[in-house]
């Protein structure tokens, strides 16, 4: 079962009636909040948010499903499989998922640009525990895909640590990566170059987002912090609770 808290009611949804329990790996909401996708090891269910009714499901026969990302209009999902294949799936449509691209390693992160025509992804060896950068040419890189053409248009970064998350600003001009070694990197998508890298000794970043021209980071030891665009100066932190709370509400 999956319990959804929705003020003023709490609704419990049986995801797979009559079947053995499955571990929910991730839940992602569509941009408009109208639907949500529940990812299991080899299955994705898309549900209607107000009613909990199932809209559609996608099952992977062979390879586990690793990552998902909603298109900006909330109509489709990019779905990445364990074998590195990225597909575009439109829930509720009779059309088969269409291939966007292919990595050599499992996909670790997906994020659409605001135009919906380009997708950022990263991949790498999920079993790697090395504290030093890998010689895997995909590890530590962010790939940009043309969704319609189904091909990579450019690659950001170079061989490094596993990328665990990707975020994009509202204009689609900047992206950031959250790396396994705790580093946060900021990329200029127009110039196609790395513009900033910062590490947090004794801590790691659990989530990040762009806030205008600044970057909002959530760290394991120091809570939520606001940094400038190049990650050189901290603008607000735990001691600025009112400022941070206002940003989180917005």
């Amino acid at each position: 079962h999956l319990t959804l808290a929705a003020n003023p009611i709490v609704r419990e949804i049986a995801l797979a009636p009559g079947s053995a329990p499955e571990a929910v790996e991730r839940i992602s909401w569509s941009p408009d909040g109208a639907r949500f996708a529940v990812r299991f090891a080899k299955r994705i269910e898309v549900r209607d948010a107000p009613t909990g009714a199932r809209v559609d499901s996608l099952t992977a026969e062979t390879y586990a499903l690793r990552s998902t990302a909603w298109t900006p209009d909330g109509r489709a999902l990019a779905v990445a499989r364990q074998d590195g294949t990225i597909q575009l799936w439109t829930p509720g449509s009779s059309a088969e998922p269409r291939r966007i691209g292919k990595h050599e390693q499992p996909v670790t992160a997906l994020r659409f640009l605001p135009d919906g025509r380009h997708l950022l992804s990263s991949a790498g060896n999920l079993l790697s525990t090395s504290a030093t950068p890998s010689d895997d040419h995909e590890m530590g890189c962010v790939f940009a895909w043309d969704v319609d053409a189904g091909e990579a248009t450019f690659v950001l970064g170079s061989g490094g640590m596993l990328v665990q998350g990707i975020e994009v600003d509202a204009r689609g001009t900047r992206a950031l990566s959250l790396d396994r070694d705790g580093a946060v990197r900021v990329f200029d998508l127009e110039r196609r170059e790395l513009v900033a890298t910062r590490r947090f000794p004794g801590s790691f970043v659990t989530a990040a987002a762009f806030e205008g021209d600044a970057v909002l980071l959530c760290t394991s030891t120091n809570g939520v912090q606001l940094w400038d665009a190049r990650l050189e100066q901290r603008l607000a932190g735990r001691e600025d609770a009112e400022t941070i709370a206002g940003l989180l509400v917005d």
Side-chain angles (χ1 to χ4, degrees):
H1 288 72
L2 169 71
T3 300
L4 295 179
N7 191 19
I9 62 173
V10 175
R11 181 181 294 110
E12 189 169 280
I13 301 171
L15 294 173
S19 63
E22 293 182 79
V24 174
E25 298 195 352
R26 189 174 182 85
I27 299 173
S28 55
W29 291 84
S30 62
D32 60 4
R35 299 187 292 179
F36 61 94
V38 184
R39 177 166 61 83
F40 304 92
K42 288 190 174 183
R43 184 166 59 89
I44 297 174
E45 283 196 1
V46 172
R47 296 265 177 167
D48 176 72
T51 66
R54 190 173 73 172
V55 176
D56 205 349
S57 65
L58 178 68
T59 300
E61 300 296 337
T62 305
Y63 296 100
L65 301 171
R66 293 301 316 172
S67 300
T68 57
W70 285 96
T71 54
D73 61 10
R75 298 179 60 186
L77 279 164
V79 179
R81 302 187 313 191
Q82 180 77 18
D83 68 343
T85 301
I86 305 172
Q87 297 176 307
L88 187 68
W89 174 49
T90 304
S93 168
S94 59
E96 290 293 317
R98 176 172 61 83
R99 176 168 156 162
I100 297 175
K102 177 76 165 64
H103 283 281
E104 295 178 7
Q105 297 280 359
V107 175
T108 58
L110 291 172
R111 183 69 63 182
F112 274 97
L113 267 60
D115 63 12
R117 296 184 292 106
H118 296 88
L119 175 73
L120 300 183
S121 70
S122 192
N125 182 0
L126 300 173
L127 300 180
S128 174
T129 57
S130 172
T132 59
S134 166
D135 57 2
D136 177 350
H137 74 280
E138 289 191 330
M139 191 89 84
C141 298
V142 176
F143 290 73
W145 301 89
D146 183 313
V147 175
D148 293 330
E151 60 184 20
T153 55
F154 60 91
V155 180
L156 300 166
S158 58
M161 295 299 294
L162 190 76
V163 174
Q164 299 186 127
I166 300 173
E167 296 294 336
V168 178
D169 72 355
R171 298 187 300 269
T173 59
R174 293 181 299 156
L176 63 80
S177 70
L178 303 179
D179 302 346
R180 177 173 281 183
D181 66 350
V184 179
R185 293 179 295 166
V186 177
F187 299 94
D188 185 315
L189 297 179
E190 296 178 321
R191 296 183 178 181
R192 301 182 181 182
E193 64 183 17
L194 174 69
V195 297
T197 301
R198 189 170 189 89
R199 289 177 172 81
F200 297 83
S203 182
F204 59 92
V205 179
T206 58
F210 286 101
E211 177 62 37
D213 291 330
V215 179
L216 196 63
L217 303 175
C218 182
T219 65
S220 60
T221 57
N222 296 310
V224 180
Q225 302 178 1
L226 186 69
W227 288 77
D228 72 315
R230 301 188 69 88
L231 301 179
E232 295 175 342
Q233 180 180 0
R234 194 181 70 162
L235 305 178
R238 178 178 291 173
E239 68 279 9
D240 307 295
E242 185 174 341
T243 298
I244 294 296
L247 293 174
L248 295 178
V249 169
D250 291 341

